Amino acid sequence: MAGKSSWLESGLVILGTAGPTGLTIDKLVAATGLSTGSFYHHFSGMSGYKTALLAYFEDMHTTRYLREVRAAAERLDGRGRLELLIDLVLEDDEPANIEMAVRAWALNDPIAAAAKERVDNARLGFLRILLMESGYAETDAHDIAQILYLLVLGAGSVLPAVPPEQLRELCRRIVG
């Protein structure tokens, strides 16, 4: 299993630096130090690899946060879970360029577009739920979730990068 994880982790790094066209078996082999045979042992060609990479992106950049925040439900109220989510997302050291690369990939690939749409819907839906559990009305929760989401996504596309502490403070100002 370590081999499959290595392929996927390296793929996210390559995706973030070279975009989806940079995802080649040769680059993956060079990045992982694993063999081409290992690649084909885990994936049914590049198409299967790209599908697995998108699922891995979805898990690492969305689902794992939702799992961690849901696991805190017994000890934190809605507001506490919202703050935990913001902290988890903003302390993640994964570069924002991976997120941008997936979004660019989605412009030309229906499988990437479907993955991006699932991620966006999951993130926005979860934010909306946490905001409602924090006392916001449904319409306000919907709007504030969008504002928070767009703020974090947009912050990942500006140079120089917005420091996490500043972004965290902006998010907290939005939620009051």
Side-chain angles (χ1 to χ4, degrees):
M1 192 61 161
K4 186 172 186 176
S5 295
S6 295
W7 290 114
L8 296 171
E9 290 167 14
S10 294
L12 284 184
V13 172
I14 292 169
L15 179 64
T17 57
T21 58
L23 290 171
T24 65
I25 294 174
D26 290 340
K27 284 185 182 177
L28 288 162
V29 165
T32 61
L34 299 171
S35 69
T36 304
S38 170
F39 177 86
Y40 285 105
H41 171 75
H42 293 290
F43 308 101
S44 58
M46 280 307 288
S47 176
Y49 175 76
K50 288 180 177 181
T51 299
L53 183 63
L54 287 164
Y56 184 71
F57 165 79
E58 190 172 347
D59 184 54
M60 296 306 296
H61 290 267
T62 302
T63 309
R64 80 176 163 107
Y65 297 134
L66 277 55
R67 276 192 309 263
E68 287 184 49
V69 172
R70 285 181 181 130
E74 290 183 19
R75 62 181 172 85
L76 296 174
D77 62 7
R79 177 62 183 235
R81 289 192 312 278
L82 178 61
E83 290 178 7
L84 174 61
L85 178 63
I86 291 168
D87 288 342
L88 289 170
V89 169
L90 297 182
E91 68 190 23
D92 192 344
D93 61 357
E94 288 289 328
N97 56 351
I98 294 172
E99 182 80 33
M100 301 290 285
V102 169
R103 292 182 178 287
W105 186 6
L107 295 173
N108 300 310
D109 184 300
I111 295 170
K116 183 195 71 63
E117 186 174 349
R118 276 192 314 275
V119 163
D120 288 343
N121 288 337
R123 291 171 177 174
L124 283 166
F126 195 65
L127 271 172
R128 191 180 73 251
I129 288 167
L130 291 177
L131 287 160
M132 287 188 300
E133 290 176 356
S134 298
Y136 289 92
E138 187 172 350
T139 55
D140 291 338
H142 177 270
D143 293 347
I144 292 169
Q146 283 192 309
I147 292 167
L148 287 170
Y149 193 55
L150 294 172
L151 171 66
V152 172
L153 286 178
S157 66
V158 297
L159 293 174
V162 178
E165 306 79 35
Q166 182 182 3
L167 192 51
R168 185 177 287 109
E169 180 58 30
L170 292 170
C171 288
R172 289 202 170 111
R173 288 184 72 178
I174 290 168
V175 295

